[in-house]
Amino acid sequence: MIDRLLGPWRTSATWYGLGHVALGPWIGTVAFTVVITLLAIAAGLLITLPLALPFAWLLFVSARGFAHLHRSRLSSLVGVHLADPVPPLAATTWWRRLLERSRSGPRWREVGHALLALPIGVLGAAVALVAVAGSIVLLTLPLWVAGLPGDTAEFWLFEVGPGPAAVAFGLLGFVGLVVVAPRAVAAMVRM
């Protein structure tokens, strides 16, 4: 029975998924910052097209690099292997290659993905953190609640002191850690 309950924590998929979700906000922050900066500069310089060209090129190249990084992270940590949706460039001159990049739907989706990586990464990490850390806090509550000011832990609408209430919250934390947390991590990985 206990083996079955603790089963998700005994698999490497849960731990790798937790690592994947924890890296999301960090990679998302870098991807978002680089891509939104290059997009803003390229769009702002469109009035003087020759000045916008290197920034447009950097935009597509960096979004492509972040897409490769994300696919690599999914492959190595989660075991999901995504095929590269972007066909190779067919043009031979730099101008035609840039035009081909700017007309390619999959390349714009890579730009969009880099922009969405930050909010999705933060959401996934926040849900996983609340599920795992919140469950650990509740599980250990009976051990440290007496050391708090007033010997109570305040939770929004109610207070918990030492004794049966703290033990009940400890059991709630155990259920959260065993049942809810691994499933929340798995859901955030799927997202």
Side-chain angles (χ1 to χ4, degrees), residues 38-39 42-43 45-46 48-64 86-108 111:
L38 290 171
L39 184 63
L45 290 175
L46 273 179
T48 56
L49 187 63
L51 294 176
L53 293 178
F55 294 102
W57 178 82
L58 277 172
L59 169 69
F60 288 115
V61 169
S62 63
R64 183 105 175 103
V86 179
L89 294 171
T92 56
T93 66
W94 69 270
W95 174 250
R96 295 230 182 256
R97 289 173 72 95
L98 184 60
L99 286 176
E100 188 177 342
R101 282 184 173 111
S102 67
R103 293 178 182 155
S104 172
R107 294 199 187 255
W108 281 108
V111 170

Side-chain angles (χ1 to χ4, degrees), residues 77-142:
L77 292 177
V78 184
V80 174
H81 306 285
L82 297 176
D84 189 357
V86 179
L89 294 171
T92 56
T93 66
W94 69 270
W95 174 250
R96 295 230 182 256
R97 289 173 72 95
L98 184 60
L99 286 176
E100 188 177 342
R101 282 184 173 111
S102 67
R103 293 178 182 155
S104 172
R107 294 199 187 255
W108 281 108
R109 284 192 289 280
E110 286 178 340
V111 170
H113 181 270
L115 294 176
L116 289 175
L118 177 61
I120 290 173
V122 168
L123 175 65
V127 169
L129 178 68
V130 166
V132 174
S135 296
I136 291 172
V137 166
L138 289 178
L139 178 65
T140 61
L141 183 66

Side-chain angles (χ1 to χ4, degrees), residues 140-153 160-162 166:
T140 61
L141 183 66
L143 301 175
W144 51 267
V145 69
L148 293 175
D151 292 340
T152 61
V160 177

